Amino acid sequence: AALNDVEKQNQDFRVKAMISEVHPISAKIGKKEGLKFDQRYFVFENREKNNGDVYSKRVAVVKSMKVIDNRKVTTGQTQSSAFYQIAGGKVDNYGMFLEQHNDVGLNIFLGSAFAGLTGYTGRAEYYISKAFGGMVGSGSGKGATSWKIYAEGGYDLKKDYEILNAITDDFTFLRVSFGLGKDFYPASFLHWGPFVGYGVEAISWESSDTESVSSDFIEAGVRIGINLAHNIQLVGSATYYSLISSEVEDTDTGEKVDFEYKDYFEDRMGLGLSAGIRFMF
């Protein structure tokens, strides 16, 4: 933790390396320099102002996908570690260089669902792929990158919501889900990723203080994001919700009986759509 703080505050402590290849993006650093799997680096290029001053401009953001063990290499003839691009423009090996800029590995998403399990929604994602470095063999390692676990919550208040074409009331929907997903980067400005998870939902309504409905479900879908900045994306999701079970509880007696969720809330299961902003830390 102390070393991370020092690296953030003092550029001299950050690992830097010239880019040696671009297919894939590669540099001759490895475990000896402290490189870890799925670690973030910025790509810089030195440019000159009209007055002759030289400055470094960030042109891309990459993460490591294959880390070379060069700890026993003393001749300088080491192999290169490989990286994949997650943001920025074109990268070349004509003077561009990598500089270490560690991330926390945490994403926060804020948005709204307008089909399926509707309402305001928020999600926290944490990249667990940093622990997968030992699984990478002689291949590129890209398949082990950007795996994450997530926890998502949602809230929806529907006033004068009609069910069974007869009952109108104010309903409150609360849900939470947990799952696993992965990000793929087909282009430097674009990512997409499948996910699967398990969730629960609780429903209460204005006219009853003694009854509530609870249900659990499986969710699976895909998310697509477009970069607004290297650490901010506009993200849309398509999620299919499949009901497992549902029951209504009398909070006075504790009695529970099965509840036909789809008969009352037929528009909430099935395909859901959402959109929002994701922040990466």
Side-chain angles (χ1 to χ4, degrees):
L3 184 57
N4 283 338
D5 287 340
V6 170
E7 290 166 353
K8 290 178 181 178
Q9 297 172 25
N10 193 323
Q11 291 190 7
D12 292 337
F13 282 87
R14 298 174 187 166
V15 176
K16 300 180 179 69
M18 300 301 296
I19 293 176
S20 57
E21 300 175 46
V22 293
H23 299 293
I25 297 169
S26 304
K28 291 190 175 183
I29 54 174
K31 291 185 178 180
K32 182 165 64 176
E33 291 77 22
L35 181 63
K36 298 179 178 60
F37 185 73
D38 226 11
Q39 186 177 19
R40 187 180 70 175
Y41 273 67
F42 287 176
V43 178
F44 287 98
E45 181 180 41
N46 286 332
R47 298 184 179 180
E48 187 175 354
K49 297 180 180 179
N50 292 333
N51 62 5
D53 291 343
V54 177
Y55 67 100
S56 296
K57 179 177 176 59
R58 188 186 71 226
V59 296
V61 181
V62 299
K63 282 188 173 183
S64 57
M65 64 180 181
K66 185 176 182 180
V67 179
I68 296 300
D69 189 353
N70 59 350
R71 289 173 293 185
K72 296 182 180 180
V73 177
T74 58
T75 62
Q77 301 301 315
T78 181
Q79 293 179 298
S80 298
S81 295
F83 299 78
Y84 65 101
Q85 188 172 353
I86 64 171
K90 183 179 180 181
V91 176
D92 62 49
N93 57 341
Y94 302 109
M96 291 189 183
F97 62 94
L98 300 177
E99 183 175 287
Q100 177 185 358
H101 283 262
N102 292 336
D103 58 349
V104 176
L106 177 69
N107 301 336
I108 300 295
F109 170 87
L110 300 172
S112 179
F114 44 89
L117 300 184
T118 56
Y120 299 108
T121 183
R123 182 175 66 250
E125 304 170 335
Y126 182 75
Y127 288 103
I128 57 174
S129 49
K130 294 178 181 293
F132 294 170
M135 299 171 54
V136 178
S138 58
S140 71
K142 199 167 185 178
T145 61
S146 293
W147 283 94
K148 59 193 178 183
I149 54 175
Y150 70 86
E152 183 169 340
Y155 168 82
D156 193 12
L157 173 61
K158 289 185 176 292
K159 289 185 173 293
D160 299 325
Y161 184 61
E162 186 178 278
I163 58 176
L164 298 178
N165 296 319
I167 304 172
T168 302
D169 210 332
D170 294 345
F171 288 83
T172 300
F173 300 85
L174 293 171
R175 63 178 172 88
V176 63
S177 59
F178 308 89
L180 177 69
K182 176 176 167 56
D183 287 342
F184 295 91
Y185 291 85
S188 61
F189 63 91
L190 177 72
H191 80 271
W192 74 277
F195 62 92
V196 62
Y198 168 83
V200 295
E201 181 180 58
I203 307 171
S204 58
W205 51 96
E206 184 71 20
S207 62
S208 177
D209 295 329
T210 61
E211 288 183 317
S212 63
V213 171
S214 61
S215 59
D216 60 343
F217 56 87
I218 293 174
E219 61 182 18
V222 63
R223 299 186 178 109
I224 298 176
I226 298 175
N227 286 359
L228 302 179
H230 78 273
N231 58 348
I232 304 175
Q233 296 92 32
L234 177 65
V235 177
S237 303
T239 309
Y240 188 84
Y241 300 99
S242 180
L243 183 70
I244 299 175
S245 64
S246 185
E247 59 186 17
V248 60
E249 179 182 2
D250 187 317
T251 54
D252 284 345
T253 65
E255 182 181 0
K256 298 180 181 180
V257 296
D258 290 341
F259 178 77
E260 296 298 330
Y261 183 100
K262 292 182 178 179
D263 290 345
Y264 289 84
F265 308 106
E266 59 183 358
D267 60 331
R268 291 184 63 80
M269 284 294 156
L271 181 64
L273 301 174
S274 67
I277 300 292
R278 185 177 79 164
F279 303 89
M280 305 178 72
F281 301 94

Short mmCIF file of all heavy atoms in Angstrom, two decimals, residues 155-164 166-174 201-215 246-252 255-261 264-265 268:
data_model
loop_
_atom_site.label_atom_id
_atom_site.label_comp_id
_atom_site.label_asym_id
_atom_site.label_seq_id
_atom_site.Cartn_x
_atom_site.Cartn_y
_atom_site.Cartn_z
N TYR A 155 -34.16 -0.05 -7.30
CA TYR A 155 -35.30 0.49 -6.57
C TYR A 155 -36.30 1.06 -7.56
O TYR A 155 -35.92 1.76 -8.51
CB TYR A 155 -34.85 1.58 -5.60
CG TYR A 155 -35.99 2.39 -5.01
CD1 TYR A 155 -36.72 1.91 -3.92
CD2 TYR A 155 -36.35 3.63 -5.55
CE1 TYR A 155 -37.77 2.65 -3.38
CE2 TYR A 155 -37.40 4.36 -5.02
CZ TYR A 155 -38.10 3.87 -3.94
OH TYR A 155 -39.14 4.60 -3.42
N ASP A 156 -37.57 0.73 -7.35
CA ASP A 156 -38.60 1.25 -8.23
C ASP A 156 -39.88 1.49 -7.42
O ASP A 156 -40.33 0.60 -6.69
CB ASP A 156 -38.89 0.26 -9.37
CG ASP A 156 -39.71 0.91 -10.48
OD1 ASP A 156 -39.86 2.14 -10.49
OD2 ASP A 156 -40.20 0.16 -11.36
N LEU A 157 -40.43 2.68 -7.54
CA LEU A 157 -41.71 3.02 -6.92
C LEU A 157 -42.70 3.28 -8.04
O LEU A 157 -42.54 4.21 -8.83
CB LEU A 157 -41.58 4.26 -6.03
CG LEU A 157 -42.89 4.81 -5.46
CD1 LEU A 157 -43.59 3.78 -4.58
CD2 LEU A 157 -42.64 6.11 -4.70
N LYS A 158 -43.72 2.42 -8.13
CA LYS A 158 -44.74 2.56 -9.17
C LYS A 158 -46.04 3.03 -8.53
O LYS A 158 -46.67 2.28 -7.77
CB LYS A 158 -44.96 1.23 -9.91
CG LYS A 158 -43.80 0.83 -10.82
CD LYS A 158 -44.15 -0.43 -11.60
CE LYS A 158 -43.05 -0.79 -12.59
NZ LYS A 158 -42.94 0.18 -13.68
N LYS A 159 -46.42 4.23 -8.82
CA LYS A 159 -47.67 4.77 -8.29
C LYS A 159 -48.83 4.42 -9.23
O LYS A 159 -48.68 4.45 -10.45
CB LYS A 159 -47.56 6.28 -8.11
CG LYS A 159 -46.64 6.70 -6.96
CD LYS A 159 -46.68 8.20 -6.76
CE LYS A 159 -45.92 8.61 -5.52
NZ LYS A 159 -46.58 8.14 -4.28
N ASP A 160 -49.97 4.09 -8.62
CA ASP A 160 -51.17 3.73 -9.38
C ASP A 160 -50.88 2.63 -10.40
O ASP A 160 -51.33 2.68 -11.55
CB ASP A 160 -51.76 4.96 -10.09
CG ASP A 160 -52.18 6.04 -9.10
OD1 ASP A 160 -52.65 5.68 -8.02
OD2 ASP A 160 -52.02 7.23 -9.44
N TYR A 161 -50.10 1.64 -9.96
CA TYR A 161 -49.73 0.52 -10.82
C TYR A 161 -50.87 -0.49 -10.85
O TYR A 161 -51.37 -0.92 -9.82
CB TYR A 161 -48.45 -0.12 -10.29
CG TYR A 161 -47.88 -1.24 -11.12
CD1 TYR A 161 -47.47 -1.02 -12.43
CD2 TYR A 161 -47.73 -2.52 -10.58
CE1 TYR A 161 -46.91 -2.03 -13.18
CE2 TYR A 161 -47.18 -3.54 -11.32
CZ TYR A 161 -46.77 -3.29 -12.64
OH TYR A 161 -46.23 -4.31 -13.38
N GLU A 162 -51.28 -0.87 -12.03
CA GLU A 162 -52.44 -1.75 -12.18
C GLU A 162 -52.00 -3.18 -12.46
O GLU A 162 -51.18 -3.44 -13.34
CB GLU A 162 -53.33 -1.26 -13.33
CG GLU A 162 -54.64 -2.05 -13.47
CD GLU A 162 -55.52 -1.51 -14.58
OE1 GLU A 162 -56.23 -0.51 -14.33
OE2 GLU A 162 -55.47 -2.07 -15.69
N ILE A 163 -52.54 -4.13 -11.69
CA ILE A 163 -52.28 -5.55 -11.91
C ILE A 163 -53.61 -6.28 -12.08
O ILE A 163 -54.64 -5.86 -11.55
CB ILE A 163 -51.48 -6.18 -10.75
CG1 ILE A 163 -52.22 -6.01 -9.41
CG2 ILE A 163 -50.09 -5.56 -10.66
CD1 ILE A 163 -51.52 -6.70 -8.25
N LEU A 164 -53.60 -7.32 -12.86
CA LEU A 164 -54.78 -8.14 -13.14
C LEU A 164 -55.91 -7.32 -13.77
O LEU A 164 -57.08 -7.70 -13.68
CB LEU A 164 -55.29 -8.85 -11.87
CG LEU A 164 -54.32 -9.83 -11.21
CD1 LEU A 164 -54.94 -10.41 -9.95
CD2 LEU A 164 -53.91 -10.93 -12.16
N ALA A 166 -57.35 -4.89 -12.75
CA ALA A 166 -58.40 -4.55 -11.80
C ALA A 166 -57.87 -3.88 -10.54
O ALA A 166 -58.51 -2.99 -9.99
CB ALA A 166 -59.18 -5.81 -11.42
N ILE A 167 -56.69 -4.30 -10.06
CA ILE A 167 -56.15 -3.81 -8.80
C ILE A 167 -55.16 -2.69 -9.08
O ILE A 167 -54.18 -2.88 -9.82
CB ILE A 167 -55.48 -4.94 -8.01
CG1 ILE A 167 -56.44 -6.10 -7.79
CG2 ILE A 167 -54.95 -4.41 -6.68
CD1 ILE A 167 -55.78 -7.32 -7.18
N THR A 168 -55.40 -1.52 -8.51
CA THR A 168 -54.50 -0.38 -8.66
C THR A 168 -53.99 0.04 -7.29
O THR A 168 -54.78 0.24 -6.36
CB THR A 168 -55.22 0.80 -9.33
OG1 THR A 168 -55.71 0.39 -10.61
CG2 THR A 168 -54.26 1.97 -9.52
N ASP A 169 -52.67 0.17 -7.18
CA ASP A 169 -52.08 0.52 -5.89
C ASP A 169 -50.69 1.10 -6.13
O ASP A 169 -50.19 1.10 -7.26
CB ASP A 169 -52.00 -0.72 -4.99
CG ASP A 169 -52.10 -0.37 -3.51
OD1 ASP A 169 -51.70 0.76 -3.14
OD2 ASP A 169 -52.57 -1.21 -2.72
N ASP A 170 -50.06 1.58 -5.06
CA ASP A 170 -48.68 2.04 -5.12
C ASP A 170 -47.77 0.90 -4.68
O ASP A 170 -47.87 0.43 -3.54
CB ASP A 170 -48.46 3.25 -4.20
CG ASP A 170 -49.25 4.47 -4.67
OD1 ASP A 170 -49.71 4.46 -5.83
OD2 ASP A 170 -49.40 5.41 -3.87
N PHE A 171 -46.88 0.45 -5.57
CA PHE A 171 -46.00 -0.68 -5.30
C PHE A 171 -44.55 -0.22 -5.22
O PHE A 171 -44.11 0.63 -6.00
CB PHE A 171 -46.12 -1.73 -6.41
CG PHE A 171 -47.42 -2.48 -6.41
CD1 PHE A 171 -48.55 -1.96 -7.01
CD2 PHE A 171 -47.51 -3.72 -5.80
CE1 PHE A 171 -49.74 -2.65 -7.02
CE2 PHE A 171 -48.70 -4.43 -5.80
CZ PHE A 171 -49.82 -3.89 -6.41
N THR A 172 -43.81 -0.82 -4.27
CA THR A 172 -42.38 -0.57 -4.12
C THR A 172 -41.62 -1.86 -4.41
O THR A 172 -41.91 -2.90 -3.81
CB THR A 172 -42.04 -0.08 -2.71
OG1 THR A 172 -42.75 1.14 -2.45
CG2 THR A 172 -40.55 0.18 -2.58
N PHE A 173 -40.65 -1.78 -5.32
CA PHE A 173 -39.85 -2.94 -5.71
C PHE A 173 -38.39 -2.70 -5.29
O PHE A 173 -37.80 -1.67 -5.64
CB PHE A 173 -39.90 -3.16 -7.22
CG PHE A 173 -41.28 -3.39 -7.77
CD1 PHE A 173 -42.11 -2.32 -8.09
CD2 PHE A 173 -41.75 -4.68 -7.97
CE1 PHE A 173 -43.37 -2.53 -8.61
CE2 PHE A 173 -43.02 -4.90 -8.49
CZ PHE A 173 -43.83 -3.83 -8.81
N LEU A 174 -37.84 -3.63 -4.55
CA LEU A 174 -36.43 -3.59 -4.15
C LEU A 174 -35.77 -4.89 -4.60
O LEU A 174 -36.32 -5.97 -4.37
CB LEU A 174 -36.28 -3.43 -2.64
CG LEU A 174 -36.74 -2.11 -2.03
CD1 LEU A 174 -36.73 -2.20 -0.50
CD2 LEU A 174 -35.85 -0.96 -2.49
N GLU A 201 -35.83 -10.30 -5.10
CA GLU A 201 -36.63 -9.08 -5.17
C GLU A 201 -37.70 -9.11 -4.09
O GLU A 201 -38.30 -10.18 -3.83
CB GLU A 201 -37.28 -8.93 -6.54
CG GLU A 201 -38.10 -7.65 -6.68
CD GLU A 201 -38.75 -7.50 -8.05
OE1 GLU A 201 -39.52 -8.41 -8.43
OE2 GLU A 201 -38.48 -6.50 -8.71
N ALA A 202 -37.94 -7.98 -3.46
CA ALA A 202 -39.00 -7.83 -2.46
C ALA A 202 -40.00 -6.79 -2.95
O ALA A 202 -39.60 -5.75 -3.48
CB ALA A 202 -38.42 -7.41 -1.11
N ILE A 203 -41.29 -7.06 -2.77
CA ILE A 203 -42.36 -6.18 -3.24
C ILE A 203 -43.31 -5.88 -2.09
O ILE A 203 -43.77 -6.80 -1.39
CB ILE A 203 -43.15 -6.80 -4.40
CG1 ILE A 203 -42.20 -7.25 -5.51
CG2 ILE A 203 -44.17 -5.82 -4.95
CD1 ILE A 203 -42.88 -8.07 -6.59
N SER A 204 -43.61 -4.61 -1.88
CA SER A 204 -44.62 -4.22 -0.89
C SER A 204 -45.56 -3.23 -1.56
O SER A 204 -45.24 -2.66 -2.61
CB SER A 204 -43.96 -3.59 0.34
OG SER A 204 -43.19 -2.46 -0.01
N TRP A 205 -46.75 -3.01 -0.96
CA TRP A 205 -47.71 -2.10 -1.56
C TRP A 205 -48.42 -1.30 -0.49
O TRP A 205 -48.49 -1.68 0.68
CB TRP A 205 -48.70 -2.85 -2.46
CG TRP A 205 -49.36 -4.04 -1.82
CD1 TRP A 205 -50.58 -4.09 -1.21
CD2 TRP A 205 -48.84 -5.36 -1.76
NE1 TRP A 205 -50.85 -5.36 -0.77
CE2 TRP A 205 -49.80 -6.16 -1.10
CE3 TRP A 205 -47.64 -5.96 -2.20
CZ2 TRP A 205 -49.60 -7.53 -0.86
CZ3 TRP A 205 -47.46 -7.31 -1.97
CH2 TRP A 205 -48.44 -8.07 -1.30
N GLU A 206 -48.93 -0.16 -0.89
CA GLU A 206 -49.45 0.85 0.02
C GLU A 206 -50.61 0.37 0.86
O GLU A 206 -50.71 0.68 2.05
CB GLU A 206 -49.86 2.10 -0.79
CG GLU A 206 -50.33 3.27 0.05
CD GLU A 206 -49.21 3.93 0.82
OE1 GLU A 206 -48.04 3.76 0.44
OE2 GLU A 206 -49.51 4.61 1.81
N SER A 207 -51.52 -0.40 0.28
CA SER A 207 -52.76 -0.75 0.96
C SER A 207 -52.60 -1.88 1.97
O SER A 207 -53.57 -2.23 2.66
CB SER A 207 -53.84 -1.12 -0.06
OG SER A 207 -53.44 -2.27 -0.80
N SER A 208 -51.41 -2.46 2.07
CA SER A 208 -51.21 -3.56 3.01
C SER A 208 -49.94 -3.36 3.80
O SER A 208 -48.86 -3.18 3.23
CB SER A 208 -51.15 -4.90 2.27
OG SER A 208 -50.88 -5.96 3.19
N ASP A 209 -50.07 -3.38 5.14
CA ASP A 209 -48.91 -3.29 6.02
C ASP A 209 -48.46 -4.65 6.52
O ASP A 209 -47.45 -4.76 7.22
CB ASP A 209 -49.23 -2.41 7.24
CG ASP A 209 -49.51 -0.97 6.84
OD1 ASP A 209 -48.93 -0.52 5.83
OD2 ASP A 209 -50.33 -0.31 7.52
N THR A 210 -49.21 -5.69 6.18
CA THR A 210 -48.94 -7.00 6.76
C THR A 210 -48.51 -8.04 5.72
O THR A 210 -48.19 -9.16 6.10
CB THR A 210 -50.19 -7.53 7.48
OG1 THR A 210 -51.27 -7.67 6.54
CG2 THR A 210 -50.60 -6.59 8.60
N GLU A 211 -48.48 -7.67 4.46
CA GLU A 211 -48.11 -8.64 3.43
C GLU A 211 -47.00 -8.09 2.55
O GLU A 211 -46.95 -6.89 2.27
CB GLU A 211 -49.31 -9.00 2.55
CG GLU A 211 -50.36 -9.86 3.25
CD GLU A 211 -51.48 -10.24 2.29
OE1 GLU A 211 -51.92 -9.36 1.51
OE2 GLU A 211 -51.91 -11.41 2.30
N SER A 212 -46.13 -8.98 2.13
CA SER A 212 -45.07 -8.62 1.18
C SER A 212 -44.74 -9.85 0.34
O SER A 212 -44.93 -10.99 0.78
CB SER A 212 -43.81 -8.12 1.89
OG SER A 212 -43.26 -9.14 2.70
N VAL A 213 -44.25 -9.59 -0.85
CA VAL A 213 -43.88 -10.66 -1.77
C VAL A 213 -42.37 -10.70 -1.91
O VAL A 213 -41.72 -9.66 -2.01
CB VAL A 213 -44.53 -10.45 -3.15
CG1 VAL A 213 -43.97 -11.44 -4.17
CG2 VAL A 213 -46.03 -10.58 -3.06
N SER A 214 -41.81 -11.90 -1.90
CA SER A 214 -40.38 -12.06 -2.17
C SER A 214 -40.21 -13.11 -3.26
O SER A 214 -40.98 -14.06 -3.36
CB SER A 214 -39.63 -12.48 -0.90
OG SER A 214 -40.10 -13.72 -0.42
N SER A 215 -39.21 -12.92 -4.09
CA SER A 215 -38.94 -13.86 -5.18
C SER A 215 -37.45 -13.91 -5.44
O SER A 215 -36.70 -13.01 -5.07
CB SER A 215 -39.69 -13.42 -6.45
OG SER A 215 -39.28 -12.12 -6.82
N SER A 246 -41.41 -17.72 -5.94
CA SER A 246 -41.97 -16.51 -5.35
C SER A 246 -42.97 -16.90 -4.28
O SER A 246 -43.67 -17.92 -4.40
CB SER A 246 -42.66 -15.68 -6.44
OG SER A 246 -43.12 -14.45 -5.92
N GLU A 247 -43.04 -16.10 -3.21
CA GLU A 247 -43.96 -16.38 -2.13
C GLU A 247 -44.42 -15.08 -1.48
O GLU A 247 -43.73 -14.06 -1.55
CB GLU A 247 -43.32 -17.29 -1.08
CG GLU A 247 -42.06 -16.74 -0.45
CD GLU A 247 -41.37 -17.73 0.48
OE1 GLU A 247 -41.68 -18.93 0.40
OE2 GLU A 247 -40.51 -17.29 1.28
N VAL A 248 -45.61 -15.13 -0.88
CA VAL A 248 -46.15 -13.99 -0.16
C VAL A 248 -46.13 -14.33 1.32
O VAL A 248 -46.45 -15.45 1.73
CB VAL A 248 -47.57 -13.64 -0.64
CG1 VAL A 248 -48.53 -14.80 -0.44
CG2 VAL A 248 -48.07 -12.37 0.06
N GLU A 249 -45.72 -13.35 2.14
CA GLU A 249 -45.58 -13.57 3.58
C GLU A 249 -46.50 -12.63 4.34
O GLU A 249 -46.59 -11.44 4.03
CB GLU A 249 -44.14 -13.33 4.02
CG GLU A 249 -43.93 -13.51 5.53
CD GLU A 249 -42.50 -13.21 5.95
OE1 GLU A 249 -41.69 -12.84 5.08
OE2 GLU A 249 -42.20 -13.35 7.15
N ASP A 250 -47.19 -13.19 5.35
CA ASP A 250 -47.95 -12.40 6.30
C ASP A 250 -46.99 -12.02 7.42
O ASP A 250 -46.54 -12.89 8.19
CB ASP A 250 -49.13 -13.20 6.85
CG ASP A 250 -50.05 -12.35 7.71
OD1 ASP A 250 -49.52 -11.57 8.54
OD2 ASP A 250 -51.28 -12.47 7.58
N THR A 251 -46.61 -10.75 7.50
CA THR A 251 -45.61 -10.33 8.47
C THR A 251 -46.08 -10.42 9.91
O THR A 251 -45.27 -10.44 10.84
CB THR A 251 -45.16 -8.89 8.17
OG1 THR A 251 -46.31 -8.04 8.13
CG2 THR A 251 -44.44 -8.82 6.83
N ASP A 252 -47.40 -10.49 10.13
CA ASP A 252 -47.91 -10.64 11.50
C ASP A 252 -47.76 -12.07 11.99
O ASP A 252 -47.36 -12.31 13.13
CB ASP A 252 -49.39 -10.24 11.55
CG ASP A 252 -49.57 -8.73 11.51
OD1 ASP A 252 -48.57 -8.03 11.74
OD2 ASP A 252 -50.70 -8.28 11.24
N GLU A 255 -46.53 -16.52 8.27
CA GLU A 255 -46.95 -17.57 7.35
C GLU A 255 -46.59 -17.19 5.92
O GLU A 255 -46.76 -16.06 5.48
CB GLU A 255 -48.47 -17.77 7.45
CG GLU A 255 -48.99 -18.89 6.56
CD GLU A 255 -50.49 -19.05 6.65
OE1 GLU A 255 -51.13 -18.29 7.41
OE2 GLU A 255 -51.03 -19.93 5.95
N LYS A 256 -46.08 -18.19 5.17
CA LYS A 256 -45.68 -17.98 3.78
C LYS A 256 -46.40 -18.98 2.88
O LYS A 256 -46.53 -20.15 3.23
CB LYS A 256 -44.17 -18.15 3.62
CG LYS A 256 -43.33 -17.17 4.41
CD LYS A 256 -41.84 -17.42 4.20
CE LYS A 256 -41.00 -16.45 5.00
NZ LYS A 256 -39.54 -16.69 4.78
N VAL A 257 -46.85 -18.50 1.74
CA VAL A 257 -47.47 -19.37 0.74
C VAL A 257 -46.93 -18.99 -0.63
O VAL A 257 -46.47 -17.86 -0.85
CB VAL A 257 -49.02 -19.23 0.75
CG1 VAL A 257 -49.59 -19.70 2.07
CG2 VAL A 257 -49.44 -17.80 0.47
N ASP A 258 -46.97 -19.95 -1.55
CA ASP A 258 -46.50 -19.69 -2.91
C ASP A 258 -47.31 -18.57 -3.56
O ASP A 258 -48.51 -18.43 -3.32
CB ASP A 258 -46.58 -20.96 -3.75
CG ASP A 258 -45.56 -22.01 -3.33
OD1 ASP A 258 -44.59 -21.64 -2.65
OD2 ASP A 258 -45.76 -23.20 -3.66
N PHE A 259 -46.63 -17.81 -4.39
CA PHE A 259 -47.27 -16.66 -5.03
C PHE A 259 -47.03 -16.76 -6.53
O PHE A 259 -45.91 -17.00 -6.98
CB PHE A 259 -46.66 -15.36 -4.48
CG PHE A 259 -47.21 -14.10 -5.09
CD1 PHE A 259 -48.45 -13.62 -4.73
CD2 PHE A 259 -46.48 -13.41 -6.06
CE1 PHE A 259 -48.95 -12.44 -5.29
CE2 PHE A 259 -46.98 -12.24 -6.63
CZ PHE A 259 -48.22 -11.76 -6.24
N GLU A 260 -48.07 -16.56 -7.31
CA GLU A 260 -47.97 -16.63 -8.77
C GLU A 260 -47.50 -15.27 -9.30
O GLU A 260 -48.28 -14.44 -9.77
CB GLU A 260 -49.31 -17.03 -9.38
CG GLU A 260 -49.78 -18.41 -8.99
CD GLU A 260 -48.82 -19.50 -9.48
OE1 GLU A 260 -48.17 -19.29 -10.53
OE2 GLU A 260 -48.70 -20.53 -8.80
N TYR A 261 -46.19 -15.06 -9.24
CA TYR A 261 -45.59 -13.77 -9.59
C TYR A 261 -45.95 -13.34 -11.00
O TYR A 261 -46.35 -12.19 -11.23
CB TYR A 261 -44.06 -13.89 -9.44
CG TYR A 261 -43.30 -12.61 -9.69
CD1 TYR A 261 -42.85 -11.82 -8.64
CD2 TYR A 261 -42.99 -12.19 -10.99
CE1 TYR A 261 -42.14 -10.66 -8.85
CE2 TYR A 261 -42.28 -11.02 -11.23
CZ TYR A 261 -41.85 -10.26 -10.15
OH TYR A 261 -41.15 -9.11 -10.38
N TYR A 264 -49.36 -11.69 -11.69
CA TYR A 264 -49.58 -10.34 -11.19
C TYR A 264 -48.64 -9.32 -11.84
O TYR A 264 -49.03 -8.18 -12.09
CB TYR A 264 -49.38 -10.30 -9.66
CG TYR A 264 -50.49 -10.99 -8.90
CD1 TYR A 264 -50.46 -12.37 -8.69
CD2 TYR A 264 -51.56 -10.27 -8.39
CE1 TYR A 264 -51.47 -13.01 -7.97
CE2 TYR A 264 -52.57 -10.90 -7.68
CZ TYR A 264 -52.52 -12.26 -7.48
OH TYR A 264 -53.53 -12.89 -6.78
N PHE A 265 -47.37 -9.72 -12.05
CA PHE A 265 -46.36 -8.78 -12.57
C PHE A 265 -45.75 -9.35 -13.85
O PHE A 265 -44.54 -9.55 -13.95
CB PHE A 265 -45.28 -8.53 -11.52
CG PHE A 265 -45.81 -8.11 -10.18
CD1 PHE A 265 -45.81 -8.99 -9.11
CD2 PHE A 265 -46.34 -6.84 -10.00
CE1 PHE A 265 -46.32 -8.61 -7.88
CE2 PHE A 265 -46.83 -6.45 -8.77
CZ PHE A 265 -46.84 -7.33 -7.70
N ARG A 268 -42.58 -7.82 -15.72
CA ARG A 268 -41.29 -7.60 -15.06
C ARG A 268 -40.30 -8.73 -15.30
O ARG A 268 -39.09 -8.51 -15.17
CB ARG A 268 -41.50 -7.38 -13.56
CG ARG A 268 -42.18 -6.05 -13.25
CD ARG A 268 -42.29 -5.80 -11.76
NE ARG A 268 -41.00 -5.68 -11.11
CZ ARG A 268 -40.24 -4.59 -11.12
NH1 ARG A 268 -40.64 -3.52 -11.79
NH2 ARG A 268 -39.10 -4.56 -10.49
#
